[in-house]
Amino acid sequence: MAADGSTKAVVVALGANLGIAVTKFVAFTLTGSSAMLAESIHSVADSGNQGLLLLGGRRAKRDATAEHPFGYGRERYIYAFLVAIVLFSVGGLFALYEAWHKISDPHPIENWRWVPVLVLVVAIILESMAMRTAIKESNAVRGKASWVDFIRRSKSPELPVILLEDAGALLGLVFALIGVGLTLVTGNGVWDGLGTAAIGLLLVAIAVVLAVEMKSLLVGESATEEHVRQIERAISSTDDIDSVIHMRTMHLGPEELLVAAKVAVDGEDDAARVARAIDAAEARVRQEVPIATLIYIEPDLRRTLRAAEETAAQE
């Protein structure tokens, strides 16, 4: 469900950005507005980013191999990290360069003066529709988490990326509209350059946030607190397992979780009984947390029993 929602949000955003990019380029050609050029490149970068997300999702579905025994789930994180790089360089840095060029040598918008305003208003409407889809799909999986927590804690990279891109696109369009509008009213091209600079700074900030979050996922994040509690409860409630001594979890991908746990068992139980208990615990974990695809449980003697035996031996 979550993967389908992510794909839908990416496809909708891709379609909207391709149409908007063409329209913006036409407006830039007619008017020469630097804000329109920055927004055009921004839409092209966003379209490329959505293509990267779709490619990453496709490559992550490959089966595990001997060389990559844990599969390719993290490819989605790698391609999302590439999105941050593209957004920073192609979107943000280009916009800042164009802003510096425009402010250094400002020119008013003389031809087709109100075309940029019309294009920007239409683009805002289209981006709002794409943003609405991203919000709807995100609401289906974020639960009670705030938007900030959702972006920071989500293990699926596509929806946070699309949310930030769409939010950045909408704010960028507003900045462009203000810059172009003030240039048309005052005849001073500096406002166009300032609007472009605001777009560039916004894209750089979003790119940095995305890079930090995707880096964390690439390094390896643990399961959510809720999943950790569910896993510990499932193991501890299994017959012939006394408790969880310690446990480690790590996401191999958004829907692939590695679980490694050491559990306490009775020292008087035979190997067959312990093996059955471990099998039952694994089944319970998969029932409670279906994304727990790889589970390794190591039995150990119950600490209280071991301590009692050591004390008796000393006496």
Side-chain angles (χ1 to χ4, degrees), residues 80-92:
F81 188 79
L82 291 177
V83 165
I85 296 174
V86 171
L87 196 63
F88 180 83
S89 57
V90 178

Side-chain angles (χ1 to χ4, degrees), residues 274-289:
V274 172
R276 287 193 296 270
I278 290 175
D279 289 342
E282 291 179 356
R284 283 174 177 253
V285 170
R286 290 192 172 94
Q287 183 177 6
E288 290 290 326
V289 184

Side-chain angles (χ1 to χ4, degrees), residues 1-11 133-134 137-138 140-141 158-159:
M1 182 70 72
D4 293 341
S6 299
T7 301
K8 179 180 178 181
V10 173
V11 171
T133 299
E137 299 301 332
S138 298
V141 295
E158 291 84 3
L159 285 174

Side-chain angles (χ1 to χ4, degrees), residues 71-238:
Y72 294 86
R74 287 194 181 181
E75 291 237 23
R76 289 168 68 178
Y77 302 150
I78 293 173
Y79 280 87
F81 188 79
L82 291 177
V83 165
I85 296 174
V86 171
L87 196 63
F88 180 83
S89 57
V90 178
L93 294 185
F94 178 83
L96 291 174
Y97 167 77
E98 186 63 25
W100 173 80
H101 179 73
K102 186 71 175 184
I103 294 172
S104 300
D105 186 21
H107 297 285
I109 299 174
E110 297 177 348
N111 301 320
W112 302 86
R113 289 168 53 84
W114 295 102
V115 167
V117 175
L118 177 61
V119 169
L120 290 170
V121 170
V122 172
I124 288 174
I125 295 173
L126 293 176
E127 284 288 2
S128 298
M129 294 171 63
M131 182 75 174
R132 180 176 177 273
T133 299
I135 291 174
K136 179 181 177 181
E137 299 301 332
S138 298
N139 280 333
V141 295
R142 76 182 178 98
K144 297 180 180 179
S146 66
W147 287 109
V148 173
D149 286 340
F150 174 69
I151 291 172
R152 292 189 60 192
R153 307 301 180 193
S154 176
K155 310 303 180 183
S156 177
E158 291 84 3
L159 285 174
V161 169
I162 293 300
L163 280 170
L164 286 175
E165 279 193 346
D166 286 350
L170 279 173
L171 284 174
L173 289 167
V174 172
F175 292 156
L177 185 60
I178 293 172
V180 169
L182 289 174
T183 297
L184 291 174
V185 171
T186 64
N188 187 350
V190 170
W191 290 110
D192 191 19
L194 291 175
T196 307
I199 294 169
L201 292 173
L202 173 67
L203 295 182
V204 167
I206 291 175
V208 170
V209 171
L210 283 178
V212 170
E213 295 304 321
M214 293 309 114
K215 170 182 170 292
S216 179
L217 290 169
L218 277 172
V219 171
E221 288 190 358
S222 65
T224 63
E225 293 181 2
E226 180 182 0
H227 280 167
V228 169
R229 287 194 297 268
Q230 290 175 319
I231 294 169
E232 288 182 340
R233 184 169 59 247
I235 295 175
S236 299
S237 62
T238 303

